[in-house]
Amino acid sequence: MQPTFNNERLGVALRLLSDRLVLAQSTPHELIICGGSSLIAQGFVSRVTRDVDVVARRERGVLVSSRPLPAELLEAAERVAADLGLPPRWLNDGPADLFEMGLPEGCAERLVSRSYGTHLVAWFVGRLDQIHFKLYAAADQGPGRHVDDLLALKPTPDELLAAARWAFSHDVSPDFRAIVRDMLTKLGHESVAAQL
């Protein structure tokens, strides 16, 4: 069975990552984390996740792409993987495309920070922006945990409308628009779907 993170195990891994960065005499790092690990860390869901998705990094107060993650950070993460029996890419830049295509307006101001030792600050993507990401992922990848996460965030119709409009800026195809409308209708948000 693949190792998974709950809130406690996530904290252990991130604190150990900070300690590994110290041992390697690395500079401190600030990571913008989205997805399941961000939802779990902020208490929005109580499920587990398999990895930590880094959508961006923060350097001198400015958000920059997470692609590629710095070599020293990846080396420290590999050591943590060996220490805790995690998959080699438990820390990954998979969602970097979201940053590169454009985060929701105001996302940077809604990030929630948490320090894990002296060399790691995690900036967790806030609730409103998670709604944007989860709506996009649910429409892009189909039903499953993304829809469950979206529902757990209890989005309002206005939040869903804003999320859908943002998602359309990332996928302009008519098919994607139809998928989003259909999904919102099935979730009981016909009035939102009708505005798209």
Side-chain angles (χ1 to χ4, degrees):
M1 183 174 164
Q2 188 78 275
T4 56
F5 292 105
N6 58 16
N7 193 25
E8 181 182 353
R9 190 166 166 85
L10 177 64
V12 168
L14 293 176
R15 281 188 295 277
L16 186 53
L17 180 60
S18 177
D19 292 345
R20 284 288 183 187
L21 291 167
V22 171
L23 288 172
Q25 299 181 338
S26 167
T27 58
H29 289 271
E30 297 185 47
L31 307 178
I32 315 304
I33 296 173
C34 66
S37 51
S38 179
L39 293 173
I40 291 164
Q42 295 178 82
F44 292 127
V45 298
S46 58
R47 69 174 177 85
V48 296
T49 189
R50 290 187 306 260
D51 56 10
V52 175
D53 295 321
V54 183
V55 68
R57 295 184 301 112
R58 194 168 182 263
E59 291 182 352
R60 295 181 289 282
V62 176
L63 299 190
V64 298
S65 180
S66 59
R67 185 175 294 138
L69 290 172
E72 62 190 14
L73 182 64
L74 290 174
E75 289 170 16
E78 286 174 12
R79 292 188 180 275
V80 171
D83 293 339
L84 299 180
L86 301 174
R89 295 212 6 104
W90 69 273
L91 184 75
N92 68 81
D93 61 8
D97 286 345
L98 293 175
F99 173 77
E100 292 165 4
M101 290 189 292
L103 297 176
E105 187 175 341
C107 179
E109 289 76 38
R110 291 186 290 269
L111 296 170
V112 177
S113 70
R114 192 170 300 161
S115 294
Y116 292 90
T118 60
H119 275 53
L120 183 66
V121 176
W123 294 85
F124 295 108
V125 170
R127 177 186 163 276
L128 178 60
D129 306 294
Q130 288 281 51
I131 290 169
H132 284 62
F133 293 170
K134 287 298 178 178
L135 182 137
Y136 178 75
D140 187 53
Q141 298 174 23
R145 75 183 191 294
H146 295 303
V147 171
D148 294 342
D149 289 343
L150 180 63
L151 294 174
L153 290 164
K154 299 181 173 68
T156 67
D158 286 344
E159 290 169 338
L160 287 172
L161 185 60
R165 289 179 173 157
W166 172 83
F168 293 160
S169 72
H170 286 62
D171 188 332
V172 298
S173 71
D175 288 345
F176 183 76
R177 186 176 291 265
I179 289 168
V180 171
R181 283 188 187 129
D182 183 59
M183 180 181 70
L184 289 170
T185 299
K186 287 177 178 171
L187 293 177
H189 290 280
E190 298 89 347
S191 63
V192 177
Q195 297 177 65
L196 299 171

